[in-house]
Structure formats: C-alpha cells, structure tokens
Amino acid sequence: KIANCQVAVSTELLAGGLAWLTSLELYLPHTWMDDDDRRARAQIPPRLPFREKWRIAIAHVRTVLQAGITLGAVVADAAYGQVAPFRAALERLGVVYVVAVPYFVSARLTADTSPESLAGLANRLAPSAWQRIHWGQGTKGPLAARFAAVRVRIPKSRSERWLLCQESLVDGERQYYFSNLP
C-alpha cells in the first residue's frame, strides 16, 4: 500500500469476515538505500540492506507460519504475482496461492505450444469456457463477472497451474490470476 508517500508491505489474516494485521514493514527503494545522505537524514541504520517487496512478503509469510497460523491461501496483487521467485517461494513453503498477474505475462496451454501472453490465451478461449459467476453483494450492487479457468504451463515452472481469467460485465476489462490450487 502507498500512503503519505510511503510504501509498506503488509500481511493480513482474513477469517470469519474479520481482518487482523499480522505484519507491516516499510519498503525502502534502492534509490534511498544507495544514498548515504538520505539514509542519514531518514535515520536508516547503515546495516539495513535493500530488500525487494516480494522478499519482504515471503519473510512475513514465514513468520506467520512459524507462529503456528494455518494459511488457507495467500492472495497477492500483480506486483507480487508476476514475480516467479515469489510464487516458487510460496510453493517451497507449501502454501496455496491465488495471485494476480499482468496480461502480458506469458504461459502456454500445453507442453508443445509456444508461450503467449495471458491476454492472447484468454482471447482464444471458446465462448463456452466463460461462465458468469455472482459471488456477493457490494455497495453498488451484486458482485458478478465472467470467469474462465484453464490449466497452463508457466515458464520456469515444473508443472501446470491454473490461469483464472475474470472479465467485467460492465466494460469487458480483464484481470488474470495464477493459482496452484489442485
């Protein structure tokens, strides 16, 4: 999240309609960490190293797991989902995930097809692959969209993952997600 020109990496536990903050850490960009004067003015300890946001998030997930909390799934936005090492780290930890990914990320439908963008894959899906799903009530009315799910092979991944495509009923805008759910 970005608030007051600060970026934080946070994790929350969602259960029973409630949310509990489990971790929050200020993210410091490379430009800050490489500038000794800025570090001194902001009182950033000299030994504090730069860490990518996804690495901070994985450390938080490890901490939550070490605390004995059982995770049903990790959900993350595309800034994390597009990072293959982030997804791989979640899998090494034995965590199920559903992560947003940008339309330009590539995957392939079978082992013998060429990789193409997720938008390209979604465009080639048969109309019958798409289903309208209503999942709740929002402040502006029903929450509904068209969805398609297909197994894909992601570059640098050893097995298939789910590609979930969501299409807005209002403007046709699409969002994409990878998941390692069974």
Side-chain angles (χ1 to χ4, degrees):
K1 290 194 171 217
I2 299 174
N4 299 324
C5 298
Q6 295 176 341
V7 179
V9 176
S10 65
T11 57
E12 297 176 9
L13 179 61
L14 305 173
L18 301 173
W20 293 275
L21 185 65
T22 56
S23 63
L24 179 71
E25 186 172 336
L26 183 64
Y27 166 76
L28 298 169
H30 239 306
T31 55
W32 279 58
M33 302 305 275
D34 291 342
D35 183 335
D36 292 335
D37 291 335
R38 182 178 266 173
R39 284 179 77 113
R41 284 193 314 268
Q43 298 180 8
I44 301 168
R47 292 181 298 187
L48 186 68
F50 168 77
R51 289 192 305 161
E52 295 95 339
K53 286 188 249 183
W54 73 266
R55 290 185 192 278
I56 295 170
I58 289 296
H60 291 188
V61 170
R62 280 192 188 102
T63 299
V64 167
L65 291 171
Q66 289 168 353
I69 297 172
T70 301
L71 299 178
V74 167
V75 179
D77 67 26
Y80 299 91
Q82 73 179 343
V83 178
F86 174 73
R87 297 188 311 265
L90 290 174
E91 291 182 14
R92 281 192 303 277
L93 291 171
V95 175
V96 172
Y97 63 79
V98 178
V99 294
V101 286
Y103 72 93
F104 56 80
V105 169
S106 65
R108 53 189 179 178
L109 289 176
T110 63
D112 56 350
T113 60
S114 298
E116 64 180 300
S117 72
L118 301 181
L121 288 174
N123 288 337
R124 290 193 311 107
L125 294 176
S128 61
W130 294 87
Q131 298 177 37
R132 182 184 170 130
I133 297 177
H134 175 262
W135 67 87
Q137 190 68 27
T139 57
K140 297 179 182 177
L143 300 174
R146 289 178 358 117
F147 288 88
V150 62
R151 298 292 279 179
V152 295
R153 292 190 170 271
I154 305 168
K156 299 181 184 176
S157 196
R158 294 184 182 166
S159 58
E160 292 182 340
R161 301 290 177 265
W162 284 107
L163 166 62
L164 180 64
C165 307
Q166 176 184 352
E167 184 177 77
S168 168
L169 298 174
V170 176
D171 59 11
E173 183 179 332
R174 289 186 178 160
Q175 295 177 351
Y176 305 94
Y177 307 89
F178 283 149
S179 177
N180 66 343
L181 284 163

